[in-house]
Amino acid sequence: MALFKGIRDYIIGYLNRANETIKIAVAWFTNDDLFQAILNALDKNIQVELILIDDCINRNELGLDFSMFIEKGGHLFFSTSEKNMHNKFCVIDNRFVITGSYNWTYFAENRNWENIIVTDEESVINEYCKEFESIKAQLEETSEYKHYKLNEVEPSTLLSEYDY
């Protein structure tokens, strides 16, 4: 299935149906509705693992509070600017993959032309699970989360993070 509109609500529907595991690899995550859905999954004792880019979009003081995610038992991994994790996919219960251009952000939902594809094709799911585990194996789990205060971030850091 391919989807081009109403993507956030569609993803929330799949997150709400999860029973065991959710693996999320998205470059940027700022959408509070999607964040609440994964917090709700954690409240239902669903294992949630999340890989994000370690940058000012994901860590700014006005953004999501990933310390709540960690406190509820979520597993958070940040990729570095040396090798940004630029994927956008989610594997639910090893039964579905959601992938496409869609980052889990307000811009993606409200300002961009975006897409996702959802599949239950076993061979595709297996490949995404392998890729998730491969990326995760190269990162350290974040046990303590803190926001970056935007006025404390060097302008050169902002520019170097987005020079691609």
Side-chain angles (χ1 to χ4, degrees):
M1 167 194 235
L3 197 63
F4 301 93
K5 294 190 184 332
I7 294 172
R8 178 198 59 217
D9 293 339
Y10 198 80
I11 293 172
I12 289 171
Y14 269 88
L15 294 171
N16 289 341
R17 293 191 326 210
N19 293 311
E20 296 174 12
T21 61
I22 300 171
K23 299 174 185 178
I24 305 163
V26 293
W28 295 288
F29 192 168
T30 64
N31 189 295
D32 190 58
D33 296 326
L34 291 165
F35 188 63
Q36 291 304 315
I38 65 170
L39 293 179
N40 292 342
L42 289 167
D43 288 340
K44 296 188 287 186
N45 294 318
I46 294 168
Q47 180 182 339
V48 182
E49 297 176 301
L50 175 60
I51 302 173
L52 303 171
I53 293 176
D54 188 3
D55 71 358
C56 293
I57 293 173
N58 288 321
R59 283 191 179 254
N60 81 76
E61 61 193 312
L62 303 175
L64 300 174
D65 186 358
F66 291 104
S67 62
M68 290 179 9
F69 173 78
I70 294 168
E71 288 169 12
K72 288 182 174 274
H75 302 277
L76 179 62
F77 301 84
F78 280 115
S79 73
T80 65
S81 59
E82 292 173 13
K83 188 166 185 180
N84 278 331
M85 192 290 309
H86 204 259
N87 286 294
K88 293 121 180 117
F89 70 87
C90 176
V91 181
I92 298 173
D93 290 337
N94 295 332
R95 293 179 45 224
F96 300 99
V97 168
I98 301 169
T99 189
S101 66
Y102 188 87
N103 274 301
W104 292 21
T105 65
Y106 285 107
F107 269 41
E109 186 62 26
N110 298 307
R111 295 182 61 178
N112 299 347
W113 283 309
E114 300 282 356
N115 71 82
I116 60 167
I117 292 175
V118 181
T119 184
D120 61 358
E121 178 68 36
E122 188 174 341
S123 63
V124 174
I125 295 166
N126 290 340
E127 290 301 314
Y128 274 94
C129 287
K130 282 184 208 172
E131 182 64 11
F132 187 91
E133 295 303 322
S134 173
I135 295 168
K136 187 176 81 169
Q138 298 175 59
L139 306 174
E140 288 188 35
E141 185 169 354
T142 301
S143 59
E144 292 184 23
Y145 172 83
K146 71 174 188 129
H147 283 113
Y148 294 153
K149 293 186 184 283
L150 292 176
N151 64 348
E152 295 174 358
V153 176
E154 293 290 325
S156 61
T157 300
L158 288 173
L159 292 173
S160 68
E161 286 181 354
Y162 301 104
D163 66 356
Y164 61 90

